[in-house]
Amino acid sequence: MRVLLVEDTEGLGEAVRDQIADDGHAVDWVQTLAFAEASIQTTAYDLILLDLILPDGHGFGFLRKLRTAGYSTPVIILTARDQVSDRIEGLNAGADDYLVKPFDLSELSARVAAVARRYRGNPNPLIRVGDLEVDLGDHRISRNGQPVELTAREWALFEGFIHRPGMLLSRSQLEDRLYAFGAEIESNTIEVYVSRLRKKLGRDAIATVRGMGYRLETHDQ
Amino acid sequence: MTNKTSLQKSLGIGLTLGVTLLWLLGVTASGLVAQHEMNEVFDSALEETAQRILPLAVTDILNRENGARNQRAPALKDHDEYLTYLVRDRQGNLLLQSHDADPRVFGPLPQEGFSNTSTHRIYGASAVSETIYLEVAEPLAHRREAALEAGLALLMPLTFLIPVSLLGIWWIVRLSLRKVVDFQQSIESRGAGDLSPVAGDQLPREFEPIALAVNRLLERLHRALETERSFTANSAHELRTPLATALAKIQRLKTRIQSDQLKADIADIEESLRSLSVLSGKLLELAKAEGGGAISQSRHDLVPILAMIVSDFESQAPGRITLTLPESEVTSFLDPDAFAILVRNLIENAIKHGSREQPVEVSMAADGTLRVRNGGNLIPPDQLALLRNRFARSKTHATGSGLGLAIADAIATGAGMTMHLRSPATGRQDGFEAELNVACI
């Protein structure tokens, strides 16, 4: 997933960014609402982690503005405000979840995964595609009962496919998922990662649509 | 309200006593005037009688044969005489007397005009060149009786009028003070946290400054409380962010190191940070609970809040909590944040100290009765009584701040609710139960 993290506290932002990246998501970390707005306009995000008290405004106002404009990406609020009235206000403003600081990073990971699943309309973390069995909660894949190990970047790319099996994903959509890792995206980066995935998941798992992009095959559907 | 300060009572008694006293003074004055007038009438009658009898007596005496001295005027019919008379010569020799007359009542020598003895009023007149004197005597008791009867006649209506005026005054004073009593009751009936202005526009003008002063005081209190609350909220925020940073950093560090010894040390630091964050959270909750603010200005439905708080515990104690909610809304003036803190602390307490094999039962009835029950060992009554104290824990191995029940109790007390702690729990042989009615405010 591509995640936008809006958090102005230096150390916390760093730790959260690293945790989410370790979970296999691409993270863009910004420290102000202005940067957040600019990021949203240039990149499509799958999830936003939003702190409330930011140097240039309150997260609630930002969230309301997004929702009013019809922006439907799920938002998890990360805040030090623990009052139930704050939480109700946050959820009413359009947040999908609300996590009170200090929190466990593992809980954050779990909530990110749960919200993403809910957002895609399938709260079940277990997905079957062809001979692949995927546990989105634990980031585990098994092929014909045999576990498959993926690196964080491979998982980031694979997650793009698994949520839209059978659908065509363009190179730029796939590149977006890797950009936030800070990697230099060279012209053959996507080919390299797709080839690694094919090695681990089977040659026919991902099909190339010449000149257009790639598609996760769903043989038995 | 004590008797000493009851304006209604002192006004009622004071006014009634005052009016009664004035009435009595008025009656006394009227009585004296009436007595004076009666005396004049009696005197005039006495004089008139003497003037009438005198010529007859003189004729009678002059027509007598010589030597005949005292004679008693015969009574035509037997009767009591109010007026008795003596006819004497200048030396006091008796010439004629009325049939009931007692010469001892009169003076030794006859006198003209009015005079008093200890028992009678006497009028004397003379004739035939002051050789024959006639004196008529009237008993003073007669006059006293008349005065007494007149006085009683004046006093009689008072026995009826005084109770009537007492009731009237009582009623009027009560009516006038009703708005003041309403005002006082509207202040008394408020919950501890309700600092909204009191409506004093219906009060009598004399009491308006009091209402104004009360409202100014409430406003000052409200501001002070708001400052304290915002300080508590800000402290919470300022404390939580660095704690979150430290905890997150430590957790990240743990994933990067290989050494088991270092991992164990870091886990210790992480645990300390966690306890610090729990304890600071609890202290801030306690500060909020004791700083008032448990009462909201409007009613809220507490059912969805209870459901939300219970769902928060799902990840912490999966499947251990059973929740029973009423079909209808349960509305209360209890502040939703205060309610959330109260419930969270009761559930945390039940999860931590209850038996792990038994469920934590959270239930809310339609009448607002909230119960949090858990299984586990019986808590002896002496320990049960101490659980509301801060940093008090029953004999348990579970870790905890010992503040949970103190916070819950502070919120309940601040909102005017009574929290009952029981062991064994209702319907069980063991366990612990906390019960309170959240809809009673």
Side-chain angles (χ1 to χ4, degrees):
Chain A
M1 283 201 297
R2 182 102 192 213
V3 177
L4 176 66
L5 168 65
V6 191
E7 169 64 67
D8 64 320
T9 311
E10 201 72 45
L12 183 62
E14 220 170 83
V16 169
R17 180 197 59 196
D18 293 351
Q19 174 78 13
I20 302 295
D22 270 8
D23 288 341
H25 307 296
V27 189
D28 289 328
W29 172 27
V30 295
Q31 301 194 4
T32 60
L33 291 175
F35 277 121
E37 209 160 343
S39 305
I40 282 169
Q41 276 162 9
T42 52
T43 312
Y45 288 99
D46 300 296
L47 183 87
I48 297 173
L49 296 171
L50 179 64
D51 184 22
L52 285 186
I53 316 286
L54 290 154
D56 57 344
H58 198 286
F60 282 163
F62 176 73
L63 182 54
R64 279 203 191 90
K65 218 166 93 185
L66 288 187
R67 294 304 188 224
T68 313
Y71 191 81
S72 60
T73 297
V75 172
I76 299 180
I77 286 175
L78 307 179
T79 178
R81 295 182 169 262
D82 68 331
Q83 301 296 303
V84 73
S85 51
D86 292 325
R87 186 169 0 162
I88 289 169
E89 194 183 344
L91 296 176
N92 285 341
D96 297 83
D97 203 352
Y98 197 97
L99 199 54
V100 177
K101 296 174 187 174
F103 47 79
D104 269 352
L105 289 177
S106 52
E107 187 180 357
L108 174 68
S109 295
R111 293 216 191 196
V112 164
V115 167
R117 282 199 305 275
R118 271 210 306 275
Y119 177 62
R120 291 188 199 103
N122 180 15
N124 186 355
L126 298 173
I127 299 178
R128 284 190 74 93
V129 179
D131 54 2
L132 297 177
E133 200 168 294
V134 183
D135 184 342
L136 292 171
D138 289 346
H139 289 192
R140 274 205 306 256
I141 306 177
S142 58
R143 185 179 168 210
N144 296 326
Q146 295 299 310
V148 178
E149 295 293 332
L150 294 187
T151 67
R153 290 185 195 191
E154 286 164 3
W155 174 265
L157 200 63
F158 176 71
E159 225 194 1
F161 285 113
I162 194 71
H163 292 308
R164 278 158 280 197
M167 274 175 65
L168 183 73
L169 295 179
S170 67
R171 277 177 71 90
S172 69
Q173 274 176 310
L174 292 171
E175 277 170 359
D176 256 0
R177 306 191 69 82
L178 296 177
Y179 265 125
F181 284 103
E184 280 288 311
I185 304 284
E186 292 174 17
S187 59
N188 67 341
T189 304
I190 296 298
E191 277 83 352
V192 170
Y193 277 101
V194 166
S195 123
R196 285 187 194 171
L197 282 177
R198 280 185 180 139
K199 209 175 276 176
K200 292 182 177 177
L201 305 173
R203 292 200 60 76
D204 304 332
I206 297 167
T208 306
V209 182
R210 200 164 291 277
M212 307 272 289
Y214 300 91
R215 185 170 59 209
L216 182 69
E217 294 291 1
T218 56
H219 299 292
D220 59 346
Q221 285 173 10
Chain B
M1 204 160 50
T2 64
N3 288 342
K4 210 167 89 183
T5 54
S6 166
L7 190 59
Q8 187 173 318
K9 194 167 180 174
S10 53
L11 270 180
I13 291 176
L15 284 175
T16 310
L17 276 180
V19 167
T20 308
L21 205 65
L22 281 177
W23 223 318
L24 284 175
L25 279 174
V27 167
T28 310
S30 313
L32 288 174
V33 169
Q35 194 180 21
H36 179 74
E37 292 300 321
M38 279 186 335
N39 278 340
E40 276 184 4
V41 172
F42 280 126
D43 281 354
S44 161
L46 200 60
E47 193 178 351
E48 187 71 17
T49 308
Q51 300 290 353
R52 292 272 174 146
I53 296 171
L54 190 57
L56 298 173
V58 168
T59 314
D60 184 41
I61 289 163
L62 292 179
N63 289 342
R64 277 184 204 162
E65 292 175 11
N66 283 341
R69 301 295 288 176
N70 182 21
Q71 281 194 2
R72 193 174 284 257
L76 297 175
K77 225 181 210 176
D78 195 25
H79 67 276
D80 285 335
E81 275 185 334
Y82 268 130
L83 300 177
T84 55
Y85 61 87
L86 292 187
V87 182
R88 293 187 284 187
D89 59 17
R90 192 181 296 181
Q91 288 74 38
N93 299 314
L94 203 52
L95 302 175
L96 183 69
Q97 69 174 90
S98 62
H99 73 278
D100 267 353
D102 180 358
R104 287 170 299 182
V105 169
F106 298 85
L109 290 175
Q111 279 180 16
E112 279 196 83
F114 287 104
S115 62
N116 278 350
T117 69
S118 60
T119 54
H120 285 73
R121 178 83 167 156
I122 296 169
Y123 179 76
S126 65
V128 198
S129 307
E130 297 180 358
T131 54
I132 295 173
Y133 287 87
L134 172 82
E135 285 172 310
V136 184
E138 185 194 5
L140 283 175
H142 175 221
R143 293 190 176 201
R144 277 196 212 105
E145 190 188 328
L148 194 68
E149 277 174 15
L152 278 177
L154 281 171
L155 277 173
M156 196 64 81
L158 286 194
T159 54
F160 164 73
L161 284 173
I162 286 174
V164 168
S165 75
L166 177 68
L167 283 176
I169 288 169
W170 196 264
W171 183 72
I172 287 173
V173 169
R174 193 186 164 88
L175 204 68
S176 316
L177 290 180
R178 205 178 56 195
K179 297 290 176 194
V180 181
V181 174
D182 288 350
F183 181 75
Q184 171 232 334
Q185 279 171 349
S186 78
I187 296 177
E188 265 184 358
S189 61
R190 297 168 152 236
D194 185 1
L195 296 177
S196 60
V198 191
D201 46 352
Q202 299 293 316
L203 279 178
R205 202 180 307 142
E206 291 79 359
F207 288 93
E208 267 177 5
I210 297 177
L212 211 65
V214 166
N215 281 336
R216 278 197 194 128
L217 182 66
L218 282 175
E219 199 189 315
R220 280 211 300 277
L221 266 174
H222 186 67
R223 272 206 303 271
L225 212 60
E226 277 302 308
T227 313
E228 198 179 305
R229 273 183 212 160
S230 92
F231 173 75
T232 311
N234 287 337
S235 327
H237 183 258
E238 295 307 319
L239 264 175
R240 278 168 196 279
T241 306
L243 270 173
T245 307
L247 196 62
K249 282 271 179 195
I250 283 283
Q251 285 175 352
R252 290 299 308 158
L253 190 60
K254 216 167 60 174
T255 62
R256 288 209 296 271
I257 53 168
Q258 305 301 322
S259 152
D260 286 345
Q261 180 56 46
L262 266 180
K263 268 196 184 194
D265 289 347
I266 285 179
D268 286 347
I269 300 176
E270 188 187 349
E271 197 44 52
S272 304
L273 279 174
R274 250 189 253 271
S275 334
L276 179 61
S277 87
V278 168
L279 185 62
S280 65
K282 290 287 164 215
L283 286 173
L284 290 167
E285 279 182 358
L286 186 63
K288 182 177 163 62
E290 293 191 334
I295 307 283
S296 164
Q297 302 288 337
S298 54
R299 286 185 160 274
H300 295 271
D301 181 14
L302 299 180
V303 174
I305 296 170
L306 179 60
M308 184 192 278
I309 299 298
V310 169
S311 72
D312 286 349
F313 283 97
E314 255 317 298
S315 59
Q316 199 179 322
R320 247 189 92 189
I321 304 178
T322 63
L323 176 65
T324 314
L325 291 176
E327 298 279 321
S328 54
E329 287 189 348
V330 173
T331 62
S332 167
F333 280 106
L334 183 61
D335 179 69
D337 291 331
F339 174 69
I341 294 174
L342 173 90
V343 174
R344 204 180 295 140
N345 278 290
L346 291 181
I347 297 177
E348 259 169 19
N349 182 70
I351 289 176
K352 258 184 209 146
H353 303 297
S355 154
R356 293 193 179 280
E357 287 74 44
Q358 293 184 52
V360 169
E361 294 170 25
V362 181
S363 70
M364 191 188 256
D367 69 349
T369 305
L370 172 77
R371 278 199 189 88
V372 179
R373 283 192 280 188
N374 61 265
N377 293 336
L378 273 179
I379 302 169
D382 55 329
Q383 282 186 40
L384 199 63
L386 296 174
L387 284 183
R388 294 167 205 260
N389 297 347
R390 296 170 201 179
F391 302 108
R393 278 181 281 177
S394 64
K395 284 176 184 157
T396 170
H397 298 297
T399 54
S401 59
L403 285 173
L405 288 178
I407 291 167
D409 192 53
I411 290 172
T413 310
M417 304 182 295
T418 311
M419 184 169 78
H420 303 283
L421 302 181
R422 299 189 187 100
S423 184
T426 313
R428 287 189 182 191
Q429 300 295 317
D430 61 355
F432 174 79
E433 174 185 278
E435 184 211 276
L436 73 162
N437 190 316
V438 290
C440 64
I441 49 165

